[in-house]
Amino acid sequence: MTYLDEVRACLQRAEDELQNARDIYGQGLYRIAVSVSYRSVFAAAKAVLAFYQDGTKTHRGLRERFGLYTVAQSDFPPHIARYIKRTERYRLLADYDMSRPSGDWEEEEAAEAIGAAEEFLSEVQAWFKRHHPEHFA
């Protein structure tokens, strides 16, 4: 698999996970939708690292390296780049906060997480088209 194949696979995974989050949300499983939304954001960010052939191994490393490649050295909107940390924080609560039962998650919280994932993925795709149109037209 070439690095471009890996980028495309990550972007496809991001789209698939976003659709999974929407489907789960439609079933009223808001806690799970929040968690799956982060997986979409993570895969989209990983696509950028794959393009630069950067194999960071931690979530923190992913955030830092993503910011370096897209915000510090490019024109990616910083407020959208922060969605990585924000959706990760939501995912950690959704997956590990046992003080909050599954049914206590609000529809609005899941909708916000999905909206953040949609905006993040859209901006990553647009970034690839702006900066690497020879590969992502």
Side-chain angles (χ1 to χ4, degrees):
M1 174 181 280
T2 70
Y3 77 98
L4 289 173
D5 292 334
E6 185 177 354
V7 170
R8 289 184 183 97
C10 288
L11 290 172
Q12 184 61 55
R13 171 76 57 91
E15 290 176 14
D16 292 347
E17 294 293 12
L18 182 55
Q19 187 57 53
N20 290 339
R22 290 177 184 135
D23 293 345
I24 292 165
Y25 173 87
Q27 297 171 30
L29 302 170
Y30 304 129
R31 180 189 63 79
I32 299 169
V34 166
S35 184
V36 175
S37 294
Y38 171 70
R39 293 200 314 245
S40 174
V41 170
F42 180 86
K46 196 158 175 63
V48 172
L49 271 61
F51 184 81
Y52 290 102
Q53 301 176 50
D54 185 335
T56 187
K57 301 207 184 293
T58 66
H59 292 263
R60 179 179 177 186
L62 176 100
R63 286 192 314 270
E64 291 172 357
R65 304 301 289 174
F66 179 87
L68 175 68
Y69 294 127
T70 62
V71 177
Q73 298 177 5
S74 187
D75 62 350
F76 198 92
H79 73 282
I80 295 177
R82 286 191 288 272
Y83 288 177
I84 300 172
K85 187 169 187 172
R86 188 168 115 199
T87 57
E88 181 183 16
R89 191 171 48 247
Y90 292 163
R91 181 202 58 101
L92 291 171
L93 288 171
D95 288 352
Y96 301 111
D97 184 0
M98 297 304 156
S99 68
R100 190 169 177 193
S102 287
D104 282 357
W105 284 82
E106 301 290 330
E107 181 177 1
E108 296 81 27
E109 292 171 304
E112 182 181 332
I114 290 169
E118 289 169 338
E119 193 172 356
F120 189 84
L121 176 56
S122 178
E123 187 57 42
V124 167
Q125 291 167 328
W127 181 86
F128 273 116
K129 288 177 184 175
R130 281 193 311 275
H131 296 282
H132 306 288
E134 68 279 11
H135 302 295
F136 303 96

